[in-house]
Structure formats: structure tokens, C-alpha cells
Amino acid sequence: MAGLLQALVGASEKAAHIARLCRGEQPLFQLLVAEKKGTDRNRRFLRDFKTLADVLIQEVIKHDLGKEFPDLRGHIHGEESNEFQTGQGDTVTVQVCASPGDTAALLLSVLEPEREAAELLAAAVHREVVLSDAELAGVELGVHPRDLAVWIDPIDSTNEYIAGREDVTPLDGIAPGGLRSALVLIGAYDRRTGSPVLGVINEPFFQRDPQSRRWQGRYHWGVAYGATRLSSLSVPPPRPTPCVVLSRAEGAAVRGALEPLCGGRLRFAAGAGYKLLCVILGLADAYVLSEGTTFAWDACAPHAILRALGGGVVALAEALRARREGDAGPPAELVYNRPVEGAGGAERWANRGGFVAYLHPQHLEAVLAALGTVPGL
Ligand code: 2IP
Ligand code: CA
């Protein structure tokens, strides 16, 4: 099916543009912040935020993909609900309207009295993205949209996006936090098997133009369908001693078990998507997460790219159980079409039991062996 991957990339470019626009308007940005409530709360954070940018970006992606590929309608899911609570306590359903004027009017009901900001945003929502990417234009896929569904994380690492630190120095190429870790993630999975098939990661804040000081982005994509493996990236070589990236929230037992394996090369970074990207780019050899604090929308797109490059994301608790039971076969990968039984809200789509993301199978095996003795895992 020609055009679907290009459409995902185009949607991610539009999303990245909106993400930059919202950060560019500092007084407006303050208005955009609303607190997450109830079951949508990610239990890790005491205060978790969603922004109008988040909600709007998700709706734009849904709208644009659904318009071009009607077979996908009803099968595009995301982290956010499109209900936005205004400072006055009203609920506004954020959506893309028929014209930029109508969209601006809807956005103004949230942003009042910032008319100019609402109009800027509406223009970005209705803008047509033209990609000039010859390699991407040449990709033709043998997969039909009616067999696929989509997970969107409109802005992963929302906390870093809101805090907006621009001066975080990378360590061996890995930024421990800051705007660099805010990413747009769009992944398509096979509706029947739940396997990730197409992935796009967009980095809206990749670097600043030295002259204009404006943020410039970049994107990466991957395809893993049947025997087809394609990516905008090539496979980085494995390090003899692996480098493992972790969340700062990871506990002492996991850190302690992995440290000897890495010869001290444990790295810490914000953002689930960003840590997965570090593995994709070869900045780390594995990303280990021991808890169910990420969701389908965090992992689907990066997972498709990892598969395109010969790696994967395996369910950690399940893999360790299988190894303990003497099963030495390839561990089960995460799937994206199966909600957690008995769970409600965001928890339905939690990656329960954690995961290991890797590029080279020998690193996966080494990580599983190191974690095999950790009590409670
Ligand atoms: C978050 C975000 C966090 C991550 C968490 C994700 O998504 O990526 O940074 O925690 O697991 O669900 P950590 O940084 O400790 O890995 P969002 O920002 O979209 O809520
Ligand atoms: Ca996320």
C-alpha cells in the first residue's frame, strides 16, 4: 500500500511543527497546561500534565490519517482523550473543524483572549505538509490499512516538554533530560496479531539552528511486515560491553544487577520513547524497564523500528518466567491489540511486567541472564 508510511511521516511533521509552535509562544504555553485527572493518571507522577498541544496534535493526526485512509477510521488510538478542561471549568471537545476559521473559533474557546495564538495554531492544523524525501517516496508496502490500527503518543515525555530545559548536556550522546527527549510517536500494528508494523519517531527539538536559534527536527521510520524490513536508519554495530539505559525511577536491585554487565556504562534518561530511540540509534544497546509504567502508545512506533533493524521489545516478566521454566526459545515480544484484563483507563494499555528493548540478540540474552537472579522480578 503506497502512501501510508508517507502519511504517518507527514502527520508526524505537522505534529512536530505544532509542538514547536506551542513552545515558541511562552505566554500562550502557560495557558496550555492542564492537570491530568482520574483514571488517565500515569501513577508514576504525582502531577502529570497534558497540554492542549498534546490533545490537539493527537486529533490532527487522527483527522489527517482518517481522511486519507478511511479504512483506518475507528482504529486510530492515542494517549489523550480529546476533552480539554478550560481554566473556567468548562469542557471543550478539541477537534479539527472543516475550515481554519472554525478550528480557530473552537481553539479560542480554550485560549480566550489569545486570538492570535488560536489563529496560528489553526493555520498549523490545516497546513499541508509537503515531504521532500526521495527514499521515503520510493517505499511501497504490501500491507493494507484495513489490516492495521494505529497508536499515537502526540508528545512523549510531556514533563520534559513542559519544563522545556534546553541546556542539558548529553553523556555519550544520550541527553539525560530536557526538550530533546520530547518526541512524537506514531506506530501502526497488525490488527490481528498485534505486532508492530510501521513506526515513525519525530524529534521536534533535535537541534537549534545556529543562526536563527530556531529548533529543527528530524524523523526516523521503520517497516517490519512479513519478510520486509526497511528503515531510514542502518543497524549500528553491537558494543562488546553493552551500554544499558534506564529510567531514573528504576530501583537499586535492577541497577545493581545490570552494573557489572555494563562495566559501569549504565545511563539514565527521561522519556520512554527517547530511551527506545537511544537503542535504535545505537547510543545504548538495551533499555530495561522493570515496571508497568509505560503504555502501548509509548512503545508501538519505536518497537516497529527496532524490529525493522533486527531487534525487538520483549515482555520482561514473561521472558524471565520462561527462562526459569527452562524455555530457552526467543521470548515473547510486546503486542498492541490486547488490553490488560480487568484494568480500566490508561492501565488497560499498560506494558505490564516491564520490557527489554534491544537491537542485538546477544545483548537481550545477557540482560535476561543478569536479571534472572533479581528478587521480585
Ligand atoms: C511517559 C514519559 C515518561 C516515562 C513514562 C511515559 O509518557 O515517557 O518520561 O517515564 O513511562 O509513560 P520515564 O521518564 O521515567 O521513563 P508521557 O510523558 O507521554 O506521559
Ligand atoms: Ca508517553
Side-chain angles (χ1 to χ4, degrees), residues 5-6 132-140 219 221 230-233:
L5 180 66
Q6 290 83 342
S132 50
D133 182 332
E135 191 194 1
L136 179 65
V139 177
E140 294 243 3
Y219 58 77
W221 53 263
L230 296 169
S231 179
S232 56
L233 295 161

Side-chain angles (χ1 to χ4, degrees), residues 36 42 44-45 48-49 54 79-80 153-161 176 181 183 185 246-250 269-275 287 289 291-295 297-298:
K36 267 190 188 173
N42 177 342
R44 171 92 61 77
F45 298 108
D48 191 359
F49 295 101
D54 255 335
E79 173 172 21
E80 306 296 339
D153 192 340
I155 300 179
D156 183 44
S157 221
T158 319
N159 288 21
E160 297 300 315
Y161 175 68
S181 36
L183 305 179
L185 310 173
L246 301 174
S247 163
R248 235 172 298 275
E250 202 58 69
Y274 181 73
K275 285 187 279 291
Y287 163 25
L289 178 68
E291 293 194 44
T293 47
T294 65
F295 302 90
W297 49 82
D298 294 314

Side-chain angles (χ1 to χ4, degrees), residues 24-59:
E25 306 279 325
Q26 194 53 43
L28 159 65
F29 185 71
Q30 298 308 320
L31 289 172
L32 299 183
V33 181
E35 206 169 335
K36 267 190 188 173
K37 294 212 174 72
T39 52
D40 272 351
R41 185 186 282 274
N42 177 342
R43 61 192 155 86
R44 171 92 61 77
F45 298 108
L46 285 180
R47 279 154 66 81
D48 191 359
F49 295 101
K50 68 175 173 181
T51 63
L52 179 60
D54 255 335
V55 179
L56 184 63
I57 288 171
Q58 183 172 302
E59 287 312 302

Side-chain angles (χ1 to χ4, degrees), residues 139-327:
V139 177
E140 294 243 3
L141 304 174
V143 54
H144 198 281
R146 70 170 166 263
D147 297 323
L148 300 178
V150 173
W151 277 115
I152 305 166
D153 192 340
I155 300 179
D156 183 44
S157 221
T158 319
N159 288 21
E160 297 300 315
Y161 175 68
I162 291 170
R165 286 175 301 147
E166 301 181 353
D167 53 353
V168 181
T169 312
L171 183 58
D172 295 334
I174 299 177
L179 269 182
R180 283 286 305 274
S181 36
L183 305 179
V184 179
L185 310 173
I186 310 178
Y189 62 91
D190 185 314
R191 272 185 218 175
R192 194 177 50 83
T193 64
S195 282
V197 170
L198 309 176
V200 175
I201 298 181
N202 202 307
E203 301 182 70
F205 305 99
F206 169 54
Q207 61 185 17
R208 270 184 184 281
D209 181 281
Q211 255 100 54
S212 67
R213 305 294 296 146
R214 280 170 183 268
W215 281 106
Q216 295 171 324
R218 65 172 179 175
Y219 58 77
H220 317 282
W221 53 263
V223 178
Y225 188 71
T228 304
R229 295 286 184 277
L230 296 169
S231 179
S232 56
L233 295 161
S234 41
V235 186
R239 285 179 192 75
T241 305
C243 167
V244 178
V245 66
L246 301 174
S247 163
R248 235 172 298 275
E250 202 58 69
V254 168
R255 292 183 185 206
L258 292 171
E259 228 147 39
L261 176 71
C262 308
R265 281 168 64 90
L266 273 184
R267 296 286 175 261
F268 297 89
Y274 181 73
K275 285 187 279 291
L276 287 159
L277 177 62
C278 287
V279 180
I280 289 168
L281 296 175
L283 299 168
D285 299 285
Y287 163 25
V288 173
L289 178 68
S290 68
E291 293 194 44
T293 47
T294 65
F295 302 90
W297 49 82
D298 294 314
C300 184
H303 189 172
I305 304 180
L306 280 165
R307 279 174 61 80
L309 297 173
V313 183
V314 306
L316 176 59
E318 227 176 298
L320 291 177
R321 197 181 324 118
R323 287 289 185 272
R324 278 184 203 120
E325 288 166 2
D327 179 351

